[in-house]
Amino acid sequence: NAGVTQTPKFQVLKTGQSMTLQCAQDMNHEYMSWYRQDPGMGLRLIHYSVGAGITDQGEVPNGYNVSRSTTEDFPLRLLSAAPSQTSVYFCASSYAGQVEPYEQYFGPGTRLTVT
Amino acid sequence: AQSVTQLDSQVPVFEEAPVELRCNYSSSVSVYLFWYVQYPNQGLQLLLKYLSGSTLVKGINGFEAEFNKSQTSFHLRKPSVHISDTAEYFCAVRGPGGYQKVTFGIGTKLQVIP
């Protein structure tokens, strides 16, 4: 199993440009999420999905869109990049445990710089 | 609402010395607790988790954590650290029942000094 994969690893954007960060998992996990990691702030949840066709907002969703058309893929779209979106982005997936929470598996991250 | 406080942003420790990384949480309901580790330029991976039962939880790489409900703490410990333990450690909390969001602490950077 490849686990959780993310592309690209690095990206530089100009203010106002749009792009899509790709995330895929091959573990048949129902739950997928996107986090951003900033120094001194830990990981903050951007958007998450509990299954194909179902998405919801996390704590910092502004400026980002997601969709989940398949179980495997969960792309994150930046609509109009801003310098405040400079960050490291992590995708994670897990089984959606109804009783016992399952661990999240994280991708290697995408380091995004917006100039 | 739930929250996590990691009291130390950086912890330097000499190789083979013991270490404790502190984590306190706040929640109005019972919670599940996790410790994740992030090695440089990598994603996070699970070290250990507390779901229920014994309050002393053993994880990978010789780490363990103790759940203390009265003090709302979940401190991570290792009796003897190695250079390879240099990493950032995140405490996380999740509420019970169905799907619940996970809240992460801001992280503690452990620097092991040779």
Side-chain angles (χ1 to χ4, degrees):
Chain A
N1 285 352
V4 180
T5 58
Q6 290 183 239
T7 56
K9 281 188 167 31
F10 302 93
Q11 183 70 50
V12 179
L13 289 179
K14 293 188 189 305
T15 297
Q17 288 184 316
S18 63
M19 79 159 293
T20 299
L21 308 185
Q22 301 291 345
C23 174
Q25 52 91 10
D26 61 359
M27 297 172 281
N28 204 30
H29 287 165
E30 301 96 337
Y31 169 61
M32 296 185 75
S33 57
W34 277 102
Y35 293 89
R36 58 178 290 172
Q37 182 180 26
D38 302 290
M41 304 192 76
L43 277 78
R44 293 181 291 168
L45 183 65
I46 304 171
H47 285 285
Y48 66 97
S49 167
V50 297
I54 307 168
T55 64
D56 205 349
Q57 296 181 350
E59 58 181 303
V60 289
N62 291 343
Y64 307 95
N65 267 358
V66 291
S67 60
R68 183 107 178 259
S69 55
T70 67
T71 300
E72 294 77 23
D73 300 298
F74 191 44
L76 178 73
R77 278 180 284 277
L78 279 69
L79 309 172
S80 177
S84 61
Q85 294 178 306
T86 293
S87 187
V88 182
Y89 291 85
F90 288 100
C91 179
S93 74
S94 75
Y95 291 112
Q98 292 300 307
V99 176
E100 180 173 302
Y102 290 94
E103 69 177 277
Q104 294 190 78
Y105 290 82
F106 285 80
T110 294
R111 191 173 295 271
L112 176 68
T113 301
V114 183
T115 61
Chain B
Q2 60 203 23
S3 65
V4 177
T5 303
Q6 290 186 246
L7 298 161
D8 305 296
S9 59
Q10 294 191 58
V11 174
V13 62
F14 286 104
E15 194 173 15
E16 297 183 7
V19 70
E20 177 179 83
L21 306 184
R22 297 180 292 169
C23 172
N24 286 87
Y25 69 93
S26 172
S27 175
S28 57
V29 297
S30 59
V31 295
Y32 302 113
L33 294 155
F34 306 83
W35 275 99
Y36 284 84
V37 60
Q38 183 182 31
Y39 297 105
N41 300 312
Q42 294 186 26
L44 280 69
Q45 58 184 253
L46 184 71
L47 261 184
L48 48 80
K49 60 185 177 185
Y50 172 77
L51 305 180
S52 64
S54 172
T55 56
L56 184 63
V57 180
K58 292 193 184 298
I60 62 171
N61 301 338
F63 283 93
E64 63 182 32
E66 185 155 21
F67 171 61
N68 187 320
K69 189 174 181 180
S70 62
Q71 306 212 352
T72 60
S73 67
F74 191 53
H75 301 334
L76 181 71
R77 301 187 183 102
K78 186 170 182 177
S80 175
V81 296
H82 189 267
I83 291 287
S84 59
D85 294 323
T86 294
E88 191 158 17
Y89 293 78
F90 292 90
C91 184
V93 62
R94 205 206 87 158
Y99 170 68
Q100 297 285 337
K101 298 173 200 175
V102 177
T103 301
F104 285 85
I106 64 170
T108 297
K109 289 185 180 173
L110 174 63
Q111 182 185 4
V112 180
I113 305 162

